[in-house]
Structures are given as structure tokens and as C-alpha cells.
Amino acid sequence: MRSVAGEVFLLQLAVVVLLVAAAVVALVVQARSAGMVDARHRTLAAAGTFAESPGIVAALRSPHPSAVLQPSAEAARKIAGVDGINVYTLSGVTLAHSDPRQIGKHVVGPFSKAVAGQSFTETFEGSLGQSVVSVVPVKDSDGRVIAIVSSPVTVQNVQSMVNRQLPVVLGSAAAVLALSAGGTALVSRRLLRRTHGLGPAEMTRMYEHHDAVLHAVREGVLIVGGGGRLLLANDEARRLLDLPVDAEGLPVTDLGLEEGIADPIASGRSATDELHMAADRLLAVNIRPTAPYGQAGTVVTLRDTTELRALSGRAEVARERLKLLYDAGMQVGTTLNVERTAEELAEVAVPRFADVVTVDLLDPVLRGEEPPEATTEMRRTARVGLQGDHPLYPVGQLIRFVPTSPMAAGLAGSRAVLEADLRATHGWRTQDPANALQILDRGIHSLIAVPLRARGVVLGMAGYWRTQDSPPFDEEDVSFAEELTARAALSVDNARRYTREHTMAVTLQRSLLPRGVPEQSAVEVAHRYLAAQAGVGGDWFDVIPLPGARVVLVVGDVVGHGLHAAANMGRLRTAVYNFSTLDLPPDELLSHLDELVAHIDTDEQEWQGITGATCLCALYDPVSGQVTAATAGHPGPALILPDGTVSFPEVPVSPPLGLGEGLPMETMTVTLPEGSRLALFTDGLVESRDRDPDAGLAALRAALAGPARTPEDTCTVVIDAMLPTRPSDDVALLVARTRRLDPARIAEWDVPPDPAAVSPVRNACARRLADWGLEDIAFTTELILSELITNAIRYGTEPIRVRLLYDRSLICEVFDGSSTSPHLRRAEATDEGGRGLFLVAQFAERWGTRYTARGKIIWSEQALHDGAAPPAMDLGEALLAGWDDEGF
């Protein structure tokens, strides 16, 4: 595209060329016209002069006029510069001619006017070609025409004269053309600089843009020169600043603007969205330098933000409320505690939405129960926003809202109720008129009551209050309050459901954990159980007395928390107790437990299996002082000797329960001095996210070391040292201080495999019972021992040994090398034997069989009451009880 300057240059050059060409043509035409006029004048002058010359009449009347006239005519022709001077008679005979050959010839020409006495000039085609001829009559003294004189000049001669002038004309024209083109080029170059090389379309577009800026754009535009003078102002700027008509060209400071808006416009500095007042308008001012796009100065844009300020205020409120909803989602429901969740709702809404927030919940909701049918009786659960004495009901108070109160109305309609002006309404005052006056005196003037509704159930009511200078609530606030409350209601309902499940889990766990330690003499026991932050866990402990004054100490851990973990814990604890009644050693007990867990995991279909469990089992015998321990994936016990030395005996570790795959368990056996302490614990005591297990064991060693303490004191010291805060995992700790049975209360006899040896042993036992002051049960004891020893001699193998233990009960033990176990059965009427164990079962409180590495022990226990035996059953009655009525 050609630029505007280029097009102007070409246009001007074409005009100059046309003008010069027209001038040259005009000059040539004018020259030719002038030549023709000159030719007429010269020929007329030459012919007239010759016709009036003296002697011409005489020459014409002479005998030889041609001889006289021809030389004179030729001389006159040369002098006049014409092509000829010819003389003709009135009859047309040539007397003198420029071509002598024509003399005497008769010619026909337009000489009638001359014959009539008139002179004239004409252009006609003659012998010389096209010529300009002037004809003059020759008159005598009487005035009669006697001859005709003509003087011709050919047109060719006239044009030759013009052609001789043409180079001058063309040269002048060329000079003029060159000067004009140079001037046009200078003008176009300057125009090129002024238009920046823009083309016509661009110039048109720029003009349209300029016109739009000046008249159509809805943003004020000012261009201010370097001296602070206003160079341009569009229509919007004139309207916003109320500028005078002649404002352009005046200094900005002389436009009558307020100082607050005039100073930044005239300053020349840059600015971005600065807000300034102009009359009653709030203008956003942007200032930028015009360089390098123009002369030094600034361009100022003005935007009216008066209406936008109101819109931005509403947008800011909306943004703040969206942020409040987001914060509520992050801050409400962090603890799964119903009361704390209600407090979080109140805290997040004060003071960003309301000045005071109250939350009232139904009592069953607080307990985690299903909410009943809608009722207006609620308990104040949270209140945030007022300090010191205030008229609102305190937290914990049970409130029964009257039907005219906003709370009851919102509950009945399941919708939010707006009381924009509490001073103008009276229904809410019937709840407590005196209290209502105090509320108004405190400056509380507006209320929104919103039901806490989740999953179609009403949980309570939330009250949003505004006080003093805060604006009253409006309908937009009601929508926001409903949204905020609905989100919080879900968190409250989640906390309620969690509370219900937690309560169930706690109830289940408490029913499954030991409520106390059974009475036994082997160890002095203390225990601690600490629930984790997540709630109910799967850790448990147990103390199980065994025959022979022995005791089993058990600590276990089920992975996970909650109802499922508590149920699994109960299953395992029950299984351990049942396996213990079989009087199994710790390794066999854990093997059976491992098989049970594997079976549960395999057969479990509808209910989730046990995902992980560990167990430590320790059997202590107070007679020998030996402790035998086995573990399935559980940390071993800590041993504290009477001198305060702490060690961690190496117990062979087997896989966790359910992963043993039938492999045998291994045990550790160690003999303890009396007064030693055993500490059995779960991993939550020594392991945590921020503590390494080795560091935990070192800390436990330090806590257990030191002077002898009671088990209760030991538990307290360990918990205080290891768990200053609530643990992330539940913890079970069992501390047992060992005792030894007094050797004076132990009696043992080896029995030969001879039936005759029964009587001496029975007599020796009777004497030992007399020494112990147990004569009252001597007879029944002798009967029991007689039956047990006789069975061992008859059915067992050597060695045979009898032991009496005087503990909380009298324990009789008969050992033999056979692994065959007797079975209690009712003898038939015709049987002569088979009633011995029946008698043992009748006279003993408990009896049973346990196996050893080299045989078995049949034992019985007889209860003692205040050191004396209970009245013995009549032997006859016992024997008769062995038969039924059909036996007689």
C-alpha cells in the first residue's frame, strides 16, 4: 500500500505535468496565432505600401508595366519579409509576381472586394501553397481602381517562425516541471514525516479511532503537554470533569478542577488506578507518558467508579462469605466431638458474619443417639461473642422454647426465621420478657434462627445475633446462614454418629477388658490402659490364675481402632482364656491362638477378619520361681530385679498371629528371685511417629530403673515418663511383682509303684495337714489322695510323686510318667469300679489334668475359708450319689 505522502506526491506531480503540458500547448497555439496575425499585418502593410507607392499609377499606365513593377515589387518583398508582392490588372492579368514565370498569366482569385475598392486579408490555397494573402486596390488620382496588389505569406513560413521559438518554450516548460516536481517532493517528504508513512486506509482508521475516542468511548481521555497544558479532551473527560468548551490549550491548573484531581493530572508522573474525587464522582485515574509515541507529555484516562464502588462492595461481601464457607469447611468438624463441633460453628461465624452465635442441640444428639421427633426442648451447647455478664442463656442450660419464639418457628417450619428488628417484634419476648429487655439493652437488635438439619433430621437450632453498630440481617444473610448451618449440620451429625459408634465401642471394650485382677498369690499386679487419640483400640491384658498356684500374664494388640478392633480384641482374649483352662504351656497356647486367627481370616466372609494381632504370654510358677514366656510378633517383657537392674530378656520372636503357618512357637524360661518385677506392654508405649523404638526402649529402661517400687507406683512412673500427652496409639501396661510360695507350705513325697505304698503316703499327708492346722479337711484330702495315687499306681508309670501346696486353697498334685488322662464317667450298676474320680469331683472344688514334658499331673483344689476347710460331705452320701435309683 502506498502511503498518503506517496499518493499526494504522485497526484501533485501529475497535476504539475498536466499544467506544464497545457502551458506549452497554449504557448505553441498562441505563437501560431500570433504568427498568423503578424503575417496578416505584414502582408497588408506590404501590399498597402506598394499600392500607395509613388509612381505605381504611372508604372501601370506605362507601355511595359511589368518591367517597371517587377523590380520594385521584388525589392519591396525583400524589405517587407513577405513571400511576394504581386500586381494584377482588374481583369486578372499578372503584372508583377514573386515567380516571374507567372507574369502575363491570367489568374482567378477573390479580388472582387479589391475591385470594389476594399482591402482585405484571406487565407487560401495558392501556387505557393496555403498562404495568408492581403489584397489592396490601386487607385488613380480620381479614386478609381486601376489595379490590384496582393502580398502572400505561406503558412509554412509562419510555422517555421513558431518552431524556432518551440525549444525555448519546451526548455522553459521542463525547467518549470523540474522545479514543481522538486517542490512537490519536498512537500511530500514533510507530509511523510507527519503521517509516519501511513496509508489512506490506516489514516481513515486512525481518524475513526480518534473520533471514537473523542465521542464514543465511555472512558475519559486527556492528553497533557509538557508544559501542563491540555492538548486534547474527549467528550467523556469533559463530562466527568465538567470542562469548559475552550479547555484545550489552557493549563490544567486553570480549568477550575479540584486540587485533588488537578494535581495528579498536571504532575506528569505515572499512576495506575489511583482513586480521586472530582465533585461527587470517584474517579480511577491512570497516567502514562506519551513518549516515545509523541511529543513530551502524558495521556490520562479517567474511569467513573462511583457505581462500581457499590458493586465492588457487594462483590467483596460475596467473596468474604465464600471464604467464610471455605473456612467453615476446614474448621468445623475437626474433632468428631459434638460439643466441640458446635463451638467451631460459633467461632467461625463470629465476628465475620454475626456478633454472637448460639447453638442449641437436642439432648439425644449430645449423647450420640438418634434424634427424636421435633421438640422445642434443647440444651445450649455453644455460645460465642459476648464477654462478661450477658442475658443469653448459659452453655449447658436446658431450654424449652415457646411456640412464638423464632427458634420454635424455625423448628416447626424447618426453615430459617429472620427477625430483622427485635425491637419491633414481640413474639420472641414471651420466652422470657425480663430477659428479652436485657437483650435489647445490651444492644442485640437482629436475629436469624436456622435449624441444624442433616440427612432429613433436625439436630438443633443455630442462632445468629447482631449487636449495636452492625447492620440488621436481610434476606441475603438468611440464605448464607442456611448454607453455613447446613454445612455445619453435616459435621454435627458426623460427630453424633461417631459418638454413638464410639460409645458402643467403649461399652464393648469395657465389657471385654478385665474389670479387675483375680485373687491369686503368685504375683502382685498393677495395670494401666490408655486409649489412643483415635478412640477405642485393640490392646488388652489379662491375668489368669492356673492350677498349682501358677498365673498366666497376657498382653496383646489388635491392629486398628474402633468397634471392629474392640470386637477382635474380645474374641482373642476369650480364646486365650479358654486355651488357658486347658493348662497349656505358653508356646502351645500361642500356637492354638495362631491357628484360630488363621481360621477366622480364612472363613470370614460377611465380617472383616483380623487384619493383624500380636500376643505375649508369660507363665509364672511361684513354687519354682520360673517364668516361661512366648511371643507372637509382640515386644518381649522388661525384667526389673529387686536391686533395680532392668533388662529385656530375649524371648524368641515368632510371626504375628495368623501368619505362623503351623510353625512351632519357641519359649524363654528364666528363674526369678522373689520381689522381681515383670513389665508387659504393647508397642504403643515405646513406639510413636516421632520416636524410634530403640529410643523408646531406652526411655522405658530409665523409667523402670531405680529403687524397688510397688507395681502401682511403677505403672504411674512409667506412664508419666513415657506418655506426657495422650498417645497416638492405645497402650496397655501390666506390671507384676513375683512372690514365692513358702517352702513350709510345700510337701512332696515319692511313691513306689506298689498299692501298699498308698497308706504310708496318706498317713504322711494327714500329719502335714495337722501341722498346717487343716485337720478338718484331712479325711476328704486322704480320700482324694488315695483315689489319685491308686489310679497313678494302677494305670500310670514311674516316677510317681505327690505334692501338697498350702496356698489360698489346698492343692493336691499326683504326678506320673504316663500321658494317659483319666476321664470322669458315671459307673454302671454292675461295675465294681470307676467311681474314684467321681468321689474326687464331689469332694474337691476343682480338679483336672495337665501335661508335662515327662508325663502328667492330676490335681485337685479344696477351698479354704478363714483357714478352715468347709464341712466335709458324708461319705455314705457321696457313695450313694454314685448310683441312681435304678441301681437298687
Side-chain angles (χ1 to χ4, degrees):
M1 293 178 60
R2 293 191 180 93
S3 65
V4 172
E7 290 193 0
V8 170
F9 171 76
L10 293 177
L11 182 60
Q12 288 180 337
L13 186 61
V15 170
V16 169
V17 170
L18 290 176
L19 289 176
V20 171
V24 170
V25 171
L27 289 175
V28 172
V29 172
Q30 183 179 7
R32 289 183 176 181
S33 176
M36 295 296 290
V37 172
D38 180 68
R40 287 188 178 93
H41 290 166
R42 283 191 293 118
T43 56
L44 184 61
T49 301
F50 191 79
E52 296 294 334
S53 62
I56 188 170
V57 174
L60 288 172
R61 292 177 175 176
S62 66
H64 299 285
S66 297
V68 178
L69 293 175
Q70 181 66 26
S72 300
E74 186 65 21
R77 180 188 68 79
K78 294 179 180 180
I79 293 172
V82 294
D83 291 336
I85 294 178
N86 304 323
V87 181
Y88 301 96
T89 65
L90 295 178
S91 59
V93 177
T94 304
L95 298 179
H97 198 278
S98 57
D99 183 6
R101 291 174 298 178
Q102 299 295 328
I103 296 174
K105 291 183 179 180
H106 186 273
V107 297
V108 179
F111 302 142
S112 57
K113 290 182 181 180
V115 172
Q118 295 181 3
S119 299
F120 65 91
T121 302
E122 289 183 356
T123 301
F124 68 98
E125 189 73 25
S127 60
L128 299 176
Q130 189 176 13
S131 303
V132 177
V133 178
S134 295
V135 178
V136 178
V138 180
K139 296 179 180 179
D140 57 6
S141 60
D142 293 333
R144 288 181 300 172
V145 176
I146 61 174
I148 299 171
V149 177
S150 68
S151 177
V153 173
T154 62
V155 173
Q156 184 178 1
N157 291 335
V158 175
Q159 290 180 349
S160 64
M161 293 175 60
V162 174
N163 291 339
R164 288 193 296 269
Q165 297 175 357
L166 190 59
V168 176
V169 173
L170 293 178
S172 300
V176 171
L177 182 61
L179 291 175
S180 300
T184 302
L186 291 176
V187 172
S188 298
R189 184 175 181 183
R190 183 171 180 84
L191 182 61
L192 182 65
R193 289 198 302 267
R194 292 296 185 182
T195 59
H196 301 283
L198 298 176
E202 294 174 332
M203 290 289 291
T204 301
R205 187 168 60 253
M206 287 187 63
Y207 174 79
E208 292 173 350
H209 293 173
H210 177 271
D211 202 44
V213 170
L214 289 180
H215 305 291
V217 72
R218 292 293 88 192
E219 186 166 322
V221 178
L222 301 174
I223 296 180
V224 181
R229 290 183 177 274
L230 181 62
L231 302 181
L232 181 141
N234 69 344
D235 294 350
E236 184 67 7
R238 292 178 181 274
R239 184 185 71 83
L240 294 177
L241 299 178
D242 196 17
L243 296 177
V245 178
D246 58 348
E248 294 179 353
L250 296 177
V252 174
T253 54
D254 295 342
L255 297 177
L257 302 177
E258 297 181 7
E259 183 177 352
I261 189 69
D263 289 345
I265 292 176
S267 64
R269 61 178 176 83
S270 296
T272 300
D273 287 336
E274 290 186 357
L275 298 179
H276 297 280
M277 292 300 300
D280 58 345
R281 296 185 179 93
L282 181 65
L283 302 181
V285 180
N286 290 273
I287 305 174
R288 294 290 185 274
T290 56
Y293 308 105
Q295 297 179 356
T298 56
V299 59
V300 182
T301 59
L302 308 171
R303 187 173 65 256
D304 189 356
T305 62
T306 305
E307 297 178 358
L308 184 60
R309 178 171 56 178
L311 293 176
S312 63
R314 290 194 294 270
E316 181 65 19
V317 171
R319 187 188 68 82
E320 287 294 331
R321 291 191 173 177
L322 286 176
K323 187 175 185 302
L324 178 55
L325 289 176
Y326 173 78
D327 293 343
M330 299 296 293
Q331 299 175 19
V332 178
T334 60
T335 61
L336 290 177
N337 178 275
V338 176
E339 291 85 353
R340 180 56 191 155
T341 302
E343 292 174 357
E344 289 171 342
L345 167 60
E347 291 170 355
V348 78
V350 175
R352 297 163 64 181
F353 176 65
D355 298 314
V356 182
V357 175
T358 58
V359 180
D360 307 311
L361 298 178
L362 300 171
D363 266 349
V365 174
L366 293 172
R367 296 191 297 268
E369 302 173 2
E370 289 292 335
E373 295 296 330
T375 175
T376 59
E377 187 174 86
M378 303 180 192
R379 191 172 298 278
R380 179 62 47 88
T381 308
R383 183 192 60 200
V384 175
L386 288 178
Q387 303 296 330
D389 295 335
H390 54 79
L392 295 180
Y393 294 125
V395 173
Q397 181 171 342
L398 187 64
I399 308 169
R400 183 182 295 274
F401 293 104
V402 299
T404 57
S405 66
M407 302 295 183
L411 190 64
S414 295
R415 58 179 178 81
V417 175
L418 170 64
E419 294 290 352
D421 188 359
L422 293 176
R423 301 180 186 87
T425 56
H426 301 279
W428 69 280
R429 302 189 186 190
T430 58
Q431 178 75 34
D432 190 340
N435 183 263
L437 292 177
Q438 294 179 13
I439 290 175
L440 294 176
D441 292 340
R442 189 64 184 267
I444 299 176
H445 60 79
S446 190
L447 164 68
I448 298 178
V450 186
L452 275 161
R453 188 179 184 89
R455 300 179 177 95
V457 178
V458 176
L459 308 175
M461 294 293 295
Y464 301 92
W465 311 73
R466 282 187 178 174
T467 65
Q468 297 176 353
D469 298 333
S470 298
F473 289 114
D474 55 25
E475 291 298 334
E476 292 185 2
D477 296 323
V478 173
S479 300
F480 174 76
E482 289 178 332
E483 178 67 20
L484 176 61
T485 306
R487 296 192 179 194
L490 289 176
S491 297
V492 172
D493 192 53
N494 290 338
R496 177 192 66 81
R497 291 168 177 261
Y498 172 79
T499 300
R500 179 181 61 183
E501 180 180 345
H502 181 71
T503 301
M504 295 172 58
V506 169
T507 302
L508 176 62
Q509 185 189 43
R510 288 177 178 175
S511 66
L512 297 177
L513 283 174
R515 297 187 179 181
V517 177
E519 294 182 359
Q520 42 80 39
S521 301
V523 291
E524 179 187 356
V525 176
H527 55 84
R528 293 288 188 276
Y529 176 81
L530 276 73
Q533 294 178 354
V536 175
D539 290 11
W540 92 94
F541 62 91
D542 212 342
V543 178
I544 306 173
L546 293 181
R550 299 167 303 150
V551 66
V552 173
L553 306 175
V554 182
V555 170
D557 184 3
V558 175
V559 174
H561 298 89
L563 189 64
H564 178 67
N568 282 334
M569 177 270 291
R571 300 168 82 181
L572 294 185
R573 178 172 177 260
T574 302
V576 170
Y577 185 84
N578 291 335
F579 289 142
S580 297
T581 59
L582 300 177
D583 211 345
L584 299 174
D587 54 339
E588 294 185 22
L589 186 151
L590 291 182
S591 295
H592 285 291
L593 194 62
D594 177 70
E595 293 177 3
L596 174 64
V597 173
H599 177 73
I600 291 174
D601 289 340
T602 301
D603 293 347
E604 206 68 60
Q605 296 179 359
E606 297 182 358
W607 201 59
Q608 185 179 358
I610 301 176
T611 56
T614 62
C615 186
L616 169 64
C617 181
L619 172 63
Y620 175 68
D621 186 351
V623 177
S624 63
Q626 285 186 343
V627 60
T628 303
T631 177
H634 200 89
L639 173 61
I640 308 99
L641 297 178
D643 61 358
T645 303
V646 180
S647 63
F648 295 96
E650 293 185 3
V651 181
V653 179
S654 298
L657 298 175
L659 302 178
E661 298 181 353
L663 297 177
M665 302 283 182
E666 299 183 40
T667 61
M668 176 272 302
T669 302
V670 61
T671 301
L672 305 179
E674 185 175 7
S676 300
R677 286 170 290 163
L678 281 173
L680 287 73
F681 52 89
T682 56
D683 56 0
L685 182 67
V686 295
E687 297 180 13
S688 64
R689 296 176 181 176
D690 55 354
R691 182 169 59 190
D692 185 80
D694 293 337
L697 289 176
L700 178 61
R701 181 191 299 271
L704 292 172
R709 303 186 185 96
T710 64
E712 190 68 29
D713 292 340
T714 302
C715 287
T716 301
V717 170
V718 169
I719 295 299
D720 292 343
M722 301 294 293
L723 303 171
T725 58
R726 191 174 181 184
S728 58
D729 191 11
D730 50 341
V731 173
L733 173 64
L734 182 64
V735 178
R737 182 165 60 183
T738 61
R739 297 170 179 162
R740 297 291 289 270
L741 191 61
D742 187 355
R745 292 193 170 197
I746 303 173
E748 290 184 288
W749 298 273
D750 290 327
V751 180
D754 184 0
V758 176
S759 178
V761 173
R762 184 173 59 240
N763 294 333
C765 290
R767 289 191 297 270
R768 181 57 60 92
L769 292 177
D771 294 339
W772 290 341
L774 301 178
E775 295 90 346
D776 294 340
I777 61 172
F779 177 75
T780 56
T781 302
E782 290 180 30
L783 179 61
I784 291 172
L785 285 175
S786 295
E787 292 297 332
L788 295 180
I789 295 173
T790 301
N791 283 338
I793 293 173
R794 180 177 299 176
Y795 303 108
T797 59
E798 294 185 275
I800 302 173
R801 189 166 54 252
V802 175
R803 185 170 70 173
L804 294 180
L805 302 177
Y806 178 23
D807 190 30
R808 293 178 179 270
S809 61
L810 180 64
I811 303 170
C812 301
E813 296 180 342
V814 177
F815 170 83
D816 71 86
S818 172
S819 60
T820 303
S821 175
H823 296 281
L824 179 65
R825 66 182 181 87
R826 185 176 293 275
E828 299 293 338
T830 58
D831 290 342
E832 295 183 358
R835 297 175 179 83
L837 289 180
F838 181 81
L839 291 177
V840 173
Q842 290 293 322
F843 287 105
E845 184 179 35
R846 293 193 305 161
W847 77 279
T849 303
R850 71 174 183 271
Y851 295 94
T852 66
R854 296 183 180 181
K856 67 177 182 297
I857 296 176
I858 302 177
W859 56 268
S860 68
E861 288 187 6
Q862 295 171 262
L864 304 177
H865 299 281
D866 298 329
M873 178 184 292
D874 182 77
L875 181 58
E877 295 178 358
L879 291 174
L880 290 175
W883 287 270
D884 53 19
D885 293 340
E886 297 179 355
F888 294 96

